Amino acid sequence: MDHDDLRDWSKRAADWAHGYHAGLRDRPVRAPLVPGAVLGTLPPEPPEVAEPMEAIFADFEALLPGITHWQHPRFFAYFPANAAPASMLAEQLANAIAAQGMIWQTSPALTELEQGMIRWLTQALGLPGEFTGTIHDSATTATLSAVLTMRERALDWKGLTEGLSGSPRLRLYASAETHSSVDKAARLAGVGQDNLVKVPTGSDLSMKPGALAGAIAADRAAGYLPIGVILCAGGTSVGAFDRMADCIAVAKAQGLPVHVDAAWAGSAMICPEFRGLWAGVEEADSIVFNPHKWLGAQFDCAVQFLRDPTPQVRTLGLRPAYLETAGREEIVNFNEWTVPLGRRFRALKLWFTLRAYGLEGLRARIRNHVAWAHDAADAIRDIPGISMITEPSLSLFTFSLNSDEATARLLERINNDGRIYLTPTRHGGRLVIRMQVGSFDCTRDDVLLAPKVIRDLMG
Ligand SMILES: *Cc1c(COP(=O)(O)O)cnc(C)c1O
């Protein structure tokens, strides 16, 4: 295949994509396959001889039964991973250029567009102008970067050179509502999962500020070294929010930095009426949110805002001789802010998406999703036998039947039916079904089909 073939096949792929998206409502949302069904169709050995693209493309189409359709308008599982059409176009162009933005010099436009998008997004989310930031692949990597920085700040940057042996036991604080990426960061940063203290939450599912203060004081008295606090703004399980202002005040009084995980809910903060949910966030040191979830800038795109990038750059930044940009001290080399060296052109899809829909267009979608989630929750609440377990947090709510077995059976029937896709979690010791509304192209009818499907299957 050469670039002339690529032009023809790109046109064919564009037509294919158009038909695929137009026909999504007719497909079951979740892949119905059994394990091994795709792997079993592949020849065990790679081809020695070039194959015709026609055959490769046909085999690609045959993969479709093994695809769960994340862009399906009735995908209500997990959180969304929205790919707005403008974002897809930007990704095509980024793929065509295939530039690598590890330092400013390797493509100044990549770095400077990224800086510009961070500035736009701080304004869009109502954050103070002093925040800067960068784009990571995922919230997991951003949180890992924040935790590594917390560790090094606490160790006065000795861990970077001397390692962790001989250092006191480190302690990190979060509630049980925070995402497992925080546990992973504790593992990878050498803090140890046992030293991630899960601070108790109150009935509002926020970490109790008094319990946080008590845990830090007790750890200090026992000779541990507290390094930082991670707060959750929109937890993955049921959408819990820590009370930012109160918890950050405790952390600051203890001299500890704060990282806020708003991976999903951050997108909603483009709507001023939702910002009360994270009031006080402007005092955080680091905030992550995923435009690839609810803003339409497709996977992968995780934005980390930093009040002061210096500690993170000191932790992650290396400047070997082969990456020097002579005489250019004022420029930013974003690889020094993130874990990997190489960097894709992720800012382009943000630029296209923000411009092609405008903040008004993006706000309208999020407002609809939140309103329709409330409508769906009200309709599901009325179905005999169903209990609402958590009320909508933005566009996420949970419900269950009277036993875990009955809930599991209902969920299996729903997902085998294929018209909608829902996923489980556990809350208060019981199995519950989560429903979130966030698909970029869903309509109110799509959302209200969910209670209808559930009612049918409860029959
Ligand atoms: C999705 C999610 C994450 C993990 O996101 P990745 O970008 O896939 O690493 C972390 N925290 C919360 C609250 C999330 O919803």
Side-chain angles (χ1 to χ4, degrees), residues 306-377:
L306 290 162
R307 165 175 298 286
D308 173 10
T310 319
Q312 187 157 314
V313 171
R314 189 164 169 195
T315 303
L316 301 179
L318 285 170
R319 210 176 272 195
Y322 45 80
L323 292 179
E324 285 292 349
T325 311
R328 298 271 189 169
E329 277 314 308
E330 78 284 7
I331 49 112
V332 165
N333 292 322
F334 269 133
N335 82 80
E336 297 173 0
W337 300 44
T338 55
V339 174
L341 172 61
R343 318 188 80 249
R344 299 180 62 239
F345 193 3
R346 298 191 180 91
L348 192 67
K349 58 194 167 190
L350 277 170
W351 198 43
F352 273 46
T353 303
L354 290 169
R355 294 178 66 188
Y357 305 98
L359 288 175
E360 272 310 326
L362 297 170
R363 284 188 199 109
R365 282 181 173 78
I366 286 173
R367 285 176 177 141
N368 282 339
H369 296 162
V370 172
W372 298 338
H374 280 83
D375 295 344

Side-chain angles (χ1 to χ4, degrees), residues 109-446:
L110 268 61
T111 296
E112 294 186 18
L113 200 65
E114 185 163 334
Q115 292 174 301
M117 291 307 98
I118 297 290
R119 196 163 59 202
W120 279 11
L121 286 172
T122 49
Q123 288 179 33
L125 271 58
L127 294 171
E130 66 254 34
F131 275 96
T132 57
T134 190
I135 307 178
H136 299 260
D137 54 356
S138 64
T140 300
T141 319
T143 295
L144 173 62
S145 305
V147 171
L148 289 167
T149 304
M150 288 172 173
R151 183 192 82 192
E152 286 310 312
R153 186 168 6 198
L155 294 175
D156 199 20
W157 281 273
K158 291 203 180 69
L160 294 176
T161 45
E162 297 169 16
L164 300 184
S165 64
S167 72
R169 238 169 117 168
L170 310 175
R171 295 288 238 191
L172 188 61
Y173 306 86
S175 92
E177 294 295 327
T178 48
H179 188 265
S180 59
S181 56
V182 178
D183 300 72
K184 192 179 265 190
R187 287 182 174 188
L188 297 183
V191 173
Q193 211 172 345
D194 289 350
N195 295 310
L196 169 59
V197 179
K198 297 281 171 85
V199 180
T201 51
S203 56
D204 60 356
L205 300 182
S206 162
M207 174 192 288
K208 290 181 179 162
L212 174 62
I216 296 169
D219 281 350
R220 285 225 163 94
Y224 296 122
L225 180 60
I227 65 168
V229 178
I230 303 204
L231 297 177
C232 132
T236 309
S237 188
V238 299
F241 280 83
D242 286 321
R243 296 201 315 261
M244 297 290 140
D246 296 347
C247 297
I248 295 176
V250 169
K252 295 286 145 174
Q254 297 284 341
L256 295 181
V258 175
H259 170 70
V260 174
D261 180 0
W264 162 64
S267 294
M269 303 309 170
I270 63 172
C271 305
E273 68 269 30
F274 299 133
R275 290 182 193 153
L277 288 168
W278 75 350
V281 73
E282 56 282 353
E283 297 301 323
D285 299 282
S286 164
I287 304 164
V288 63
F289 99 103
N290 282 350
H292 73 227
K293 278 189 170 151
W294 207 3
L295 217 53
Q298 76 194 76
F299 192 80
D300 50 5
C301 185
V303 166
Q304 184 190 17
F305 298 111
L306 290 162
R307 165 175 298 286
D308 173 10
T310 319
Q312 187 157 314
V313 171
R314 189 164 169 195
T315 303
L316 301 179
L318 285 170
R319 210 176 272 195
Y322 45 80
L323 292 179
E324 285 292 349
T325 311
R328 298 271 189 169
E329 277 314 308
E330 78 284 7
I331 49 112
V332 165
N333 292 322
F334 269 133
N335 82 80
E336 297 173 0
W337 300 44
T338 55
V339 174
L341 172 61
R343 318 188 80 249
R344 299 180 62 239
F345 193 3
R346 298 191 180 91
L348 192 67
K349 58 194 167 190
L350 277 170
W351 198 43
F352 273 46
T353 303
L354 290 169
R355 294 178 66 188
Y357 305 98
L359 288 175
E360 272 310 326
L362 297 170
R363 284 188 199 109
R365 282 181 173 78
I366 286 173
R367 285 176 177 141
N368 282 339
H369 296 162
V370 172
W372 298 338
H374 280 83
D375 295 344
D378 288 342
I380 291 171
R381 193 194 318 277
D382 286 343
I383 300 173
I386 287 198
S387 317
M388 292 301 289
I389 303 299
T390 56
E391 294 297 325
S393 168
L394 294 169
S395 65
L396 168 66
F397 61 91
T398 61
F399 58 94
S400 73
L401 302 189
N402 59 11
S403 74
D404 285 2
E405 296 70 37
T407 303
R409 269 200 308 275
L410 173 64
L411 184 60
E412 199 184 328
R413 278 202 296 273
I414 291 170
N415 290 333
N416 288 341
D417 173 85
R419 284 176 287 172
I420 62 173
Y421 182 23
L422 304 177
T423 44
T425 186
R426 295 199 77 83
H427 187 72
R430 64 202 283 186
L431 182 75
V432 302
I433 300 177
R434 281 169 90 256
M435 174 160 174
Q436 68 75 27
V437 178
S439 179
F440 201 74
D441 286 327
C442 71
T443 63
R444 188 165 186 277
D445 285 349
D446 287 317

Side-chain angles (χ1 to χ4, degrees), residues 89-99 344-346 348-349:
L89 180 62
E91 283 285 68
Q92 282 180 26
L93 297 171
N95 284 343
I97 296 171
R344 299 180 62 239
F345 193 3
R346 298 191 180 91
L348 192 67
K349 58 194 167 190

